[in-house]
PDB file of all heavy atoms in Angstrom:
ATOM      1  N   TYR A 957     -74.320 -42.032 -40.694  1.00 90.00           N
ATOM      2  CA  TYR A 957     -75.582 -41.617 -41.312  1.00 90.00           C
ATOM      3  C   TYR A 957     -75.875 -42.390 -42.591  1.00 90.00           C
ATOM      4  O   TYR A 957     -76.995 -42.820 -42.824  1.00 90.00           O
ATOM      5  CB  TYR A 957     -75.551 -40.111 -41.599  1.00 90.00           C
ATOM      6  CG  TYR A 957     -76.913 -39.534 -41.902  1.00 90.00           C
ATOM      7  CD1 TYR A 957     -77.787 -39.189 -40.862  1.00 90.00           C
ATOM      8  CD2 TYR A 957     -77.339 -39.338 -43.208  1.00 90.00           C
ATOM      9  CE1 TYR A 957     -79.038 -38.670 -41.128  1.00 90.00           C
ATOM     10  CE2 TYR A 957     -78.597 -38.824 -43.482  1.00 90.00           C
ATOM     11  CZ  TYR A 957     -79.440 -38.493 -42.447  1.00 90.00           C
ATOM     12  OH  TYR A 957     -80.692 -37.980 -42.713  1.00 90.00           O
ATOM     13  N   PHE A 958     -74.858 -42.588 -43.438  1.00 93.00           N
ATOM     14  CA  PHE A 958     -75.070 -43.198 -44.754  1.00 93.00           C
ATOM     15  C   PHE A 958     -74.589 -44.644 -44.840  1.00 93.00           C
ATOM     16  O   PHE A 958     -74.940 -45.355 -45.786  1.00 93.00           O
ATOM     17  CB  PHE A 958     -74.366 -42.380 -45.845  1.00 93.00           C
ATOM     18  CG  PHE A 958     -75.019 -41.056 -46.141  1.00 93.00           C
ATOM     19  CD1 PHE A 958     -74.423 -39.874 -45.755  1.00 93.00           C
ATOM     20  CD2 PHE A 958     -76.232 -40.998 -46.809  1.00 93.00           C
ATOM     21  CE1 PHE A 958     -75.020 -38.654 -46.022  1.00 93.00           C
ATOM     22  CE2 PHE A 958     -76.834 -39.789 -47.082  1.00 93.00           C
ATOM     23  CZ  PHE A 958     -76.235 -38.610 -46.685  1.00 93.00           C
ATOM     24  N   GLY A 959     -73.730 -45.068 -43.893  1.00 94.00           N
ATOM     25  CA  GLY A 959     -73.187 -46.412 -43.971  1.00 94.00           C
ATOM     26  C   GLY A 959     -72.146 -46.582 -45.055  1.00 94.00           C
ATOM     27  O   GLY A 959     -71.907 -47.705 -45.522  1.00 94.00           O
ATOM     28  N   LYS A 960     -71.489 -45.512 -45.456  1.00 94.00           N
ATOM     29  CA  LYS A 960     -70.423 -45.590 -46.456  1.00 94.00           C
ATOM     30  C   LYS A 960     -69.389 -44.513 -46.185  1.00 94.00           C
ATOM     31  O   LYS A 960     -69.654 -43.542 -45.469  1.00 94.00           O
ATOM     32  CB  LYS A 960     -70.977 -45.466 -47.874  1.00 94.00           C
ATOM     33  CG  LYS A 960     -71.774 -44.202 -48.133  1.00 94.00           C
ATOM     34  CD  LYS A 960     -72.360 -44.222 -49.547  1.00 94.00           C
ATOM     35  CE  LYS A 960     -73.183 -42.967 -49.821  1.00 94.00           C
ATOM     36  NZ  LYS A 960     -73.782 -43.004 -51.182  1.00 94.00           N
ATOM     37  N   ASP A 961     -68.206 -44.689 -46.787  1.00 95.00           N
ATOM     38  CA  ASP A 961     -67.083 -43.795 -46.514  1.00 95.00           C
ATOM     39  C   ASP A 961     -67.279 -42.439 -47.181  1.00 95.00           C
ATOM     40  O   ASP A 961     -67.896 -42.322 -48.254  1.00 95.00           O
ATOM     41  CB  ASP A 961     -65.774 -44.416 -47.010  1.00 95.00           C
ATOM     42  CG  ASP A 961     -65.383 -45.652 -46.209  1.00 95.00           C
ATOM     43  OD1 ASP A 961     -65.777 -45.728 -45.027  1.00 95.00           O
ATOM     44  OD2 ASP A 961     -64.702 -46.532 -46.762  1.00 95.00           O
ATOM     45  N   LEU A 962     -66.719 -41.411 -46.543  1.00 96.00           N
ATOM     46  CA  LEU A 962     -66.692 -40.057 -47.084  1.00 96.00           C
ATOM     47  C   LEU A 962     -65.324 -39.807 -47.694  1.00 96.00           C
ATOM     48  O   LEU A 962     -64.304 -39.946 -47.026  1.00 96.00           O
ATOM     49  CB  LEU A 962     -66.967 -39.045 -45.966  1.00 96.00           C
ATOM     50  CG  LEU A 962     -66.713 -37.569 -46.284  1.00 96.00           C
ATOM     51  CD1 LEU A 962     -67.610 -37.097 -47.424  1.00 96.00           C
ATOM     52  CD2 LEU A 962     -66.925 -36.710 -45.031  1.00 96.00           C
ATOM     53  N   HIS A 963     -65.284 -39.421 -48.976  1.00 95.00           N
ATOM     54  CA  HIS A 963     -64.022 -39.176 -49.678  1.00 95.00           C
ATOM     55  C   HIS A 963     -63.786 -37.665 -49.764  1.00 95.00           C
ATOM     56  O   HIS A 963     -64.183 -37.012 -50.736  1.00 95.00           O
ATOM     57  CB  HIS A 963     -64.058 -39.802 -51.074  1.00 95.00           C
ATOM     58  CG  HIS A 963     -64.343 -41.273 -51.059  1.00 95.00           C
ATOM     59  ND1 HIS A 963     -65.597 -41.792 -51.279  1.00 95.00           N
ATOM     60  CD2 HIS A 963     -63.537 -42.334 -50.810  1.00 95.00           C
ATOM     61  CE1 HIS A 963     -65.558 -43.109 -51.194  1.00 95.00           C
ATOM     62  NE2 HIS A 963     -64.321 -43.464 -50.887  1.00 95.00           N
ATOM     63  N   LEU A 964     -63.136 -37.122 -48.726  1.00 94.00           N
ATOM     64  CA  LEU A 964     -62.887 -35.680 -48.716  1.00 94.00           C
ATOM     65  C   LEU A 964     -61.790 -35.275 -49.686  1.00 94.00           C
ATOM     66  O   LEU A 964     -61.765 -34.137 -50.169  1.00 94.00           O
ATOM     67  CB  LEU A 964     -62.497 -35.233 -47.298  1.00 94.00           C
ATOM     68  CG  LEU A 964     -63.644 -35.065 -46.294  1.00 94.00           C
ATOM     69  CD1 LEU A 964     -63.095 -34.729 -44.917  1.00 94.00           C
ATOM     70  CD2 LEU A 964     -64.621 -33.995 -46.751  1.00 94.00           C
ATOM     71  N   GLU A 965     -60.850 -36.189 -49.967  1.00 93.00           N
ATOM     72  CA  GLU A 965     -59.754 -35.837 -50.880  1.00 93.00           C
ATOM     73  C   GLU A 965     -60.256 -35.729 -52.326  1.00 93.00           C
ATOM     74  O   GLU A 965     -59.791 -34.867 -53.087  1.00 93.00           O
ATOM     75  CB  GLU A 965     -58.641 -36.880 -50.806  1.00 93.00           C
ATOM     76  CG  GLU A 965     -57.892 -36.908 -49.490  1.00 93.00           C
ATOM     77  CD  GLU A 965     -58.662 -37.652 -48.409  1.00 93.00           C
ATOM     78  OE1 GLU A 965     -59.708 -38.269 -48.757  1.00 93.00           O
ATOM     79  OE2 GLU A 965     -58.238 -37.623 -47.247  1.00 93.00           O
ATOM     80  N   HIS A 966     -61.198 -36.588 -52.702  1.00 94.00           N
ATOM     81  CA  HIS A 966     -61.738 -36.565 -54.071  1.00 94.00           C
ATOM     82  C   HIS A 966     -63.255 -36.715 -54.022  1.00 94.00           C
ATOM     83  O   HIS A 966     -63.802 -37.732 -54.440  1.00 94.00           O
ATOM     84  CB  HIS A 966     -61.124 -37.693 -54.914  1.00 94.00           C
ATOM     85  CG  HIS A 966     -59.625 -37.653 -54.978  1.00 94.00           C
ATOM     86  ND1 HIS A 966     -58.946 -36.708 -55.724  1.00 94.00           N
ATOM     87  CD2 HIS A 966     -58.669 -38.404 -54.372  1.00 94.00           C
ATOM     88  CE1 HIS A 966     -57.642 -36.897 -55.578  1.00 94.00           C
ATOM     89  NE2 HIS A 966     -57.453 -37.920 -54.760  1.00 94.00           N
ATOM     90  N   PRO A 967     -63.966 -35.706 -53.516  1.00 96.00           N
ATOM     91  CA  PRO A 967     -65.422 -35.814 -53.406  1.00 96.00           C
ATOM     92  C   PRO A 967     -66.077 -35.807 -54.792  1.00 96.00           C
ATOM     93  O   PRO A 967     -65.693 -35.034 -55.673  1.00 96.00           O
ATOM     94  CB  PRO A 967     -65.805 -34.566 -52.610  1.00 96.00           C
ATOM     95  CG  PRO A 967     -64.707 -33.588 -52.867  1.00 96.00           C
ATOM     96  CD  PRO A 967     -63.463 -34.407 -53.028  1.00 96.00           C
ATOM     97  N   LEU A 968     -67.071 -36.668 -54.974  1.00 96.00           N
ATOM     98  CA  LEU A 968     -67.754 -36.784 -56.270  1.00 96.00           C
ATOM     99  C   LEU A 968     -69.245 -36.479 -56.169  1.00 96.00           C
ATOM    100  O   LEU A 968     -69.801 -35.821 -57.037  1.00 96.00           O
ATOM    101  CB  LEU A 968     -67.556 -38.199 -56.850  1.00 96.00           C
ATOM    102  CG  LEU A 968     -66.116 -38.610 -57.173  1.00 96.00           C
ATOM    103  CD1 LEU A 968     -66.093 -40.055 -57.650  1.00 96.00           C
ATOM    104  CD2 LEU A 968     -65.534 -37.699 -58.251  1.00 96.00           C
ATOM    105  N   THR A 969     -69.892 -36.949 -55.115  1.00 97.00           N
ATOM    106  CA  THR A 969     -71.335 -36.814 -55.017  1.00 97.00           C
ATOM    107  C   THR A 969     -71.717 -35.465 -54.404  1.00 97.00           C
ATOM    108  O   THR A 969     -70.874 -34.745 -53.853  1.00 97.00           O
ATOM    109  CB  THR A 969     -71.929 -37.940 -54.159  1.00 97.00           C
ATOM    110  OG1 THR A 969     -71.498 -37.761 -52.801  1.00 97.00           O
ATOM    111  CG2 THR A 969     -71.487 -39.307 -54.670  1.00 97.00           C
ATOM    112  N   TYR A 970     -73.010 -35.158 -54.488  1.00 98.00           N
ATOM    113  CA  TYR A 970     -73.527 -33.925 -53.904  1.00 98.00           C
ATOM    114  C   TYR A 970     -73.260 -33.900 -52.395  1.00 98.00           C
ATOM    115  O   TYR A 970     -72.741 -32.909 -51.863  1.00 98.00           O
ATOM    116  CB  TYR A 970     -75.026 -33.822 -54.179  1.00 98.00           C
ATOM    117  CG  TYR A 970     -75.668 -32.563 -53.661  1.00 98.00           C
ATOM    118  CD1 TYR A 970     -75.711 -31.411 -54.428  1.00 98.00           C
ATOM    119  CD2 TYR A 970     -76.248 -32.525 -52.396  1.00 98.00           C
ATOM    120  CE1 TYR A 970     -76.304 -30.252 -53.949  1.00 98.00           C
ATOM    121  CE2 TYR A 970     -76.840 -31.376 -51.904  1.00 98.00           C
ATOM    122  CZ  TYR A 970     -76.867 -30.241 -52.691  1.00 98.00           C
ATOM    123  OH  TYR A 970     -77.453 -29.100 -52.206  1.00 98.00           O
ATOM    124  N   ASN A 971     -73.596 -34.992 -51.718  1.00 97.00           N
ATOM    125  CA  ASN A 971     -73.419 -35.031 -50.260  1.00 97.00           C
ATOM    126  C   ASN A 971     -71.953 -34.936 -49.866  1.00 97.00           C
ATOM    127  O   ASN A 971     -71.606 -34.273 -48.872  1.00 97.00           O
ATOM    128  CB  ASN A 971     -74.030 -36.316 -49.703  1.00 97.00           C
ATOM    129  CG  ASN A 971     -75.543 -36.264 -49.687  1.00 97.00           C
ATOM    130  OD1 ASN A 971     -76.138 -35.224 -49.448  1.00 97.00           O
ATOM    131  ND2 ASN A 971     -76.173 -37.396 -49.968  1.00 97.00           N
ATOM    132  N   GLU A 972     -71.070 -35.586 -50.611  1.00 98.00           N
ATOM    133  CA  GLU A 972     -69.646 -35.504 -50.295  1.00 98.00           C
ATOM    134  C   GLU A 972     -69.132 -34.084 -50.489  1.00 98.00           C
ATOM    135  O   GLU A 972     -68.361 -33.571 -49.668  1.00 98.00           O
ATOM    136  CB  GLU A 972     -68.850 -36.467 -51.193  1.00 98.00           C
ATOM    137  CG  GLU A 972     -68.985 -37.923 -50.799  1.00 98.00           C
ATOM    138  CD  GLU A 972     -68.141 -38.827 -51.669  1.00 98.00           C
ATOM    139  OE1 GLU A 972     -67.887 -38.478 -52.852  1.00 98.00           O
ATOM    140  OE2 GLU A 972     -67.727 -39.895 -51.186  1.00 98.00           O
ATOM    141  N   LYS A 973     -69.552 -33.431 -51.546  1.00 98.00           N
ATOM    142  CA  LYS A 973     -69.077 -32.070 -51.800  1.00 98.00           C
ATOM    143  C   LYS A 973     -69.627 -31.087 -50.775  1.00 98.00           C
ATOM    144  O   LYS A 973     -68.971 -30.092 -50.444  1.00 98.00           O
ATOM    145  CB  LYS A 973     -69.423 -31.658 -53.226  1.00 98.00           C
ATOM    146  CG  LYS A 973     -68.602 -32.419 -54.263  1.00 98.00           C
ATOM    147  CD  LYS A 973     -68.819 -31.929 -55.686  1.00 98.00           C
ATOM    148  CE  LYS A 973     -67.914 -32.682 -56.664  1.00 98.00           C
ATOM    149  NZ  LYS A 973     -68.074 -32.206 -58.053  1.00 98.00           N
ATOM    150  N   MET A 974     -70.830 -31.359 -50.261  1.00 98.00           N
ATOM    151  CA  MET A 974     -71.344 -30.522 -49.180  1.00 98.00           C
ATOM    152  C   MET A 974     -70.426 -30.609 -47.953  1.00 98.00           C
ATOM    153  O   MET A 974     -70.170 -29.598 -47.284  1.00 98.00           O
ATOM    154  CB  MET A 974     -72.756 -30.962 -48.787  1.00 98.00           C
ATOM    155  CG  MET A 974     -73.856 -30.598 -49.771  1.00 98.00           C
ATOM    156  SD  MET A 974     -74.072 -28.827 -50.026  1.00 98.00           S
ATOM    157  CE  MET A 974     -73.270 -28.659 -51.624  1.00 98.00           C
ATOM    158  N   GLN A 975     -69.925 -31.801 -47.650  1.00 97.00           N
ATOM    159  CA  GLN A 975     -69.037 -31.952 -46.498  1.00 97.00           C
ATOM    160  C   GLN A 975     -67.726 -31.199 -46.731  1.00 97.00           C
ATOM    161  O   GLN A 975     -67.187 -30.555 -45.823  1.00 97.00           O
ATOM    162  CB  GLN A 975     -68.749 -33.442 -46.225  1.00 97.00           C
ATOM    163  CG  GLN A 975     -69.964 -34.337 -46.112  1.00 97.00           C
ATOM    164  CD  GLN A 975     -71.058 -33.769 -45.244  1.00 97.00           C
ATOM    165  OE1 GLN A 975     -70.823 -33.235 -44.168  1.00 97.00           O
ATOM    166  NE2 GLN A 975     -72.303 -33.872 -45.722  1.00 97.00           N
ATOM    167  N   TRP A 976     -67.200 -31.278 -47.962  1.00 97.00           N
ATOM    168  CA  TRP A 976     -65.960 -30.555 -48.289  1.00 97.00           C
ATOM    169  C   TRP A 976     -66.173 -29.053 -48.136  1.00 97.00           C
ATOM    170  O   TRP A 976     -65.342 -28.333 -47.568  1.00 97.00           O
ATOM    171  CB  TRP A 976     -65.518 -30.893 -49.713  1.00 97.00           C
ATOM    172  CG  TRP A 976     -64.126 -30.425 -50.027  1.00 97.00           C
ATOM    173  CD1 TRP A 976     -62.973 -31.137 -49.939  1.00 97.00           C
ATOM    174  CD2 TRP A 976     -63.739 -29.107 -50.486  1.00 97.00           C
ATOM    175  NE1 TRP A 976     -61.900 -30.364 -50.303  1.00 97.00           N
ATOM    176  CE2 TRP A 976     -62.329 -29.117 -50.650  1.00 97.00           C
ATOM    177  CE3 TRP A 976     -64.436 -27.948 -50.771  1.00 97.00           C
ATOM    178  CZ2 TRP A 976     -61.628 -28.001 -51.072  1.00 97.00           C
ATOM    179  CZ3 TRP A 976     -63.723 -26.822 -51.192  1.00 97.00           C
ATOM    180  CH2 TRP A 976     -62.339 -26.860 -51.339  1.00 97.00           C
ATOM    181  N   ILE A 977     -67.311 -28.565 -48.633  1.00 97.00           N
ATOM    182  CA  ILE A 977     -67.614 -27.134 -48.544  1.00 97.00           C
ATOM    183  C   ILE A 977     -67.752 -26.704 -47.084  1.00 97.00           C
ATOM    184  O   ILE A 977     -67.272 -25.625 -46.697  1.00 97.00           O
ATOM    185  CB  ILE A 977     -68.895 -26.815 -49.348  1.00 97.00           C
ATOM    186  CG1 ILE A 977     -68.616 -26.940 -50.854  1.00 97.00           C
ATOM    187  CG2 ILE A 977     -69.418 -25.424 -49.025  1.00 97.00           C
ATOM    188  CD1 ILE A 977     -69.850 -26.870 -51.724  1.00 97.00           C
ATOM    189  N   LYS A 978     -68.377 -27.528 -46.266  1.00 96.00           N
ATOM    190  CA  LYS A 978     -68.548 -27.208 -44.854  1.00 96.00           C
ATOM    191  C   LYS A 978     -67.204 -26.961 -44.169  1.00 96.00           C
ATOM    192  O   LYS A 978     -67.069 -26.060 -43.339  1.00 96.00           O
ATOM    193  CB  LYS A 978     -69.292 -28.345 -44.145  1.00 96.00           C
ATOM    194  CG  LYS A 978     -70.791 -28.346 -44.374  1.00 96.00           C
ATOM    195  CD  LYS A 978     -71.425 -29.700 -44.122  1.00 96.00           C
ATOM    196  CE  LYS A 978     -71.240 -30.193 -42.723  1.00 96.00           C
ATOM    197  NZ  LYS A 978     -72.031 -31.424 -42.456  1.00 96.00           N
ATOM    198  N   LEU A 979     -66.196 -27.742 -44.538  1.00 95.00           N
ATOM    199  CA  LEU A 979     -64.899 -27.644 -43.870  1.00 95.00           C
ATOM    200  C   LEU A 979     -63.957 -26.631 -44.511  1.00 95.00           C
ATOM    201  O   LEU A 979     -63.228 -25.928 -43.811  1.00 95.00           O
ATOM    202  CB  LEU A 979     -64.219 -29.019 -43.858  1.00 95.00           C
ATOM    203  CG  LEU A 979     -64.856 -30.112 -42.999  1.00 95.00           C
ATOM    204  CD1 LEU A 979     -64.030 -31.383 -43.088  1.00 95.00           C
ATOM    205  CD2 LEU A 979     -64.979 -29.661 -41.554  1.00 95.00           C
ATOM    206  N   PHE A 980     -63.951 -26.564 -45.842  1.00 95.00           N
ATOM    207  CA  PHE A 980     -62.846 -25.885 -46.526  1.00 95.00           C
ATOM    208  C   PHE A 980     -63.256 -24.704 -47.421  1.00 95.00           C
ATOM    209  O   PHE A 980     -62.388 -24.064 -47.998  1.00 95.00           O
ATOM    210  CB  PHE A 980     -62.088 -26.900 -47.395  1.00 95.00           C
ATOM    211  CG  PHE A 980     -61.631 -28.115 -46.654  1.00 95.00           C
ATOM    212  CD1 PHE A 980     -62.048 -29.381 -47.023  1.00 95.00           C
ATOM    213  CD2 PHE A 980     -60.790 -28.007 -45.558  1.00 95.00           C
ATOM    214  CE1 PHE A 980     -61.638 -30.505 -46.337  1.00 95.00           C
ATOM    215  CE2 PHE A 980     -60.368 -29.132 -44.858  1.00 95.00           C
ATOM    216  CZ  PHE A 980     -60.799 -30.383 -45.249  1.00 95.00           C
ATOM    217  N   ASP A 981     -64.532 -24.423 -47.557  1.00 95.00           N
ATOM    218  CA  ASP A 981     -64.954 -23.360 -48.479  1.00 95.00           C
ATOM    219  C   ASP A 981     -65.836 -22.362 -47.744  1.00 95.00           C
ATOM    220  O   ASP A 981     -67.009 -22.188 -48.067  1.00 95.00           O
ATOM    221  CB  ASP A 981     -65.700 -23.960 -49.675  1.00 95.00           C
ATOM    222  CG  ASP A 981     -65.888 -22.934 -50.799  1.00 95.00           C
ATOM    223  OD1 ASP A 981     -65.312 -21.837 -50.704  1.00 95.00           O
ATOM    224  OD2 ASP A 981     -66.627 -23.222 -51.758  1.00 95.00           O
ATOM    225  N   ASN A 982     -65.249 -21.705 -46.733  1.00 93.00           N
ATOM    226  CA  ASN A 982     -65.988 -20.724 -45.949  1.00 93.00           C
ATOM    227  C   ASN A 982     -65.350 -19.349 -46.091  1.00 93.00           C
ATOM    228  O   ASN A 982     -64.199 -19.211 -46.487  1.00 93.00           O
ATOM    229  CB  ASN A 982     -66.024 -21.133 -44.468  1.00 93.00           C
ATOM    230  CG  ASN A 982     -66.962 -22.291 -44.230  1.00 93.00           C
ATOM    231  OD1 ASN A 982     -68.169 -22.169 -44.389  1.00 93.00           O
ATOM    232  ND2 ASN A 982     -66.402 -23.434 -43.865  1.00 93.00           N
ATOM    233  N   SER A 983     -66.107 -18.328 -45.761  1.00 95.00           N
ATOM    234  CA  SER A 983     -65.628 -16.952 -45.873  1.00 95.00           C
ATOM    235  C   SER A 983     -66.486 -16.063 -44.986  1.00 95.00           C
ATOM    236  O   SER A 983     -67.550 -16.470 -44.496  1.00 95.00           O
ATOM    237  CB  SER A 983     -65.722 -16.470 -47.335  1.00 95.00           C
ATOM    238  OG  SER A 983     -67.085 -16.422 -47.748  1.00 95.00           O
ATOM    239  N   GLU A 984     -66.012 -14.830 -44.783  1.00 96.00           N
ATOM    240  CA  GLU A 984     -66.799 -13.866 -44.014  1.00 96.00           C
ATOM    241  C   GLU A 984     -68.122 -13.577 -44.708  1.00 96.00           C
ATOM    242  O   GLU A 984     -69.149 -13.368 -44.047  1.00 96.00           O
ATOM    243  CB  GLU A 984     -66.001 -12.570 -43.842  1.00 96.00           C
ATOM    244  CG  GLU A 984     -64.790 -12.707 -42.923  1.00 96.00           C
ATOM    245  CD  GLU A 984     -64.074 -11.398 -42.716  1.00 96.00           C
ATOM    246  OE1 GLU A 984     -64.579 -10.360 -43.214  1.00 96.00           O
ATOM    247  OE2 GLU A 984     -63.017 -11.380 -42.055  1.00 96.00           O
ATOM    248  N   LEU A 985     -68.122 -13.566 -46.047  1.00 97.00           N
ATOM    249  CA  LEU A 985     -69.362 -13.311 -46.775  1.00 97.00           C
ATOM    250  C   LEU A 985     -70.376 -14.427 -46.528  1.00 97.00           C
ATOM    251  O   LEU A 985     -71.567 -14.164 -46.313  1.00 97.00           O
ATOM    252  CB  LEU A 985     -69.087 -13.194 -48.278  1.00 97.00           C
ATOM    253  CG  LEU A 985     -70.329 -13.004 -49.170  1.00 97.00           C
ATOM    254  CD1 LEU A 985     -71.099 -11.752 -48.753  1.00 97.00           C
ATOM    255  CD2 LEU A 985     -69.931 -12.928 -50.645  1.00 97.00           C
ATOM    256  N   LYS A 986     -69.930 -15.680 -46.532  1.00 97.00           N
ATOM    257  CA  LYS A 986     -70.858 -16.786 -46.281  1.00 97.00           C
ATOM    258  C   LYS A 986     -71.440 -16.696 -44.870  1.00 97.00           C
ATOM    259  O   LYS A 986     -72.621 -16.999 -44.662  1.00 97.00           O
ATOM    260  CB  LYS A 986     -70.155 -18.126 -46.497  1.00 97.00           C
ATOM    261  CG  LYS A 986     -69.982 -18.494 -47.963  1.00 97.00           C
ATOM    262  CD  LYS A 986     -69.552 -19.938 -48.114  1.00 97.00           C
ATOM    263  CE  LYS A 986     -69.529 -20.348 -49.582  1.00 97.00           C
ATOM    264  NZ  LYS A 986     -69.186 -21.774 -49.747  1.00 97.00           N
ATOM    265  N   THR A 987     -70.613 -16.299 -43.903  1.00 97.00           N
ATOM    266  CA  THR A 987     -71.125 -16.117 -42.544  1.00 97.00           C
ATOM    267  C   THR A 987     -72.163 -15.002 -42.517  1.00 97.00           C
ATOM    268  O   THR A 987     -73.212 -15.122 -41.875  1.00 97.00           O
ATOM    269  CB  THR A 987     -69.971 -15.795 -41.580  1.00 97.00           C
ATOM    270  OG1 THR A 987     -69.105 -16.932 -41.506  1.00 97.00           O
ATOM    271  CG2 THR A 987     -70.491 -15.481 -40.186  1.00 97.00           C
TER     272      THR A 987
END
Side-chain angles (χ1 to χ4, degrees):
Y957 195 82
F958 288 108
K960 57 184 179 182
D961 293 333
L962 169 62
H963 303 98
L964 281 176
E965 292 79 8
H966 303 287
L968 297 176
T969 68
Y970 182 88
N971 286 324
E972 285 182 332
K973 290 186 177 181
M974 286 298 103
Q975 308 314 316
W976 192 95
I977 289 171
K978 282 159 60 172
L979 292 181
F980 306 120
D981 192 8
N982 287 294
S983 65
E984 291 183 5
L985 177 58
K986 283 192 174 183
T987 295

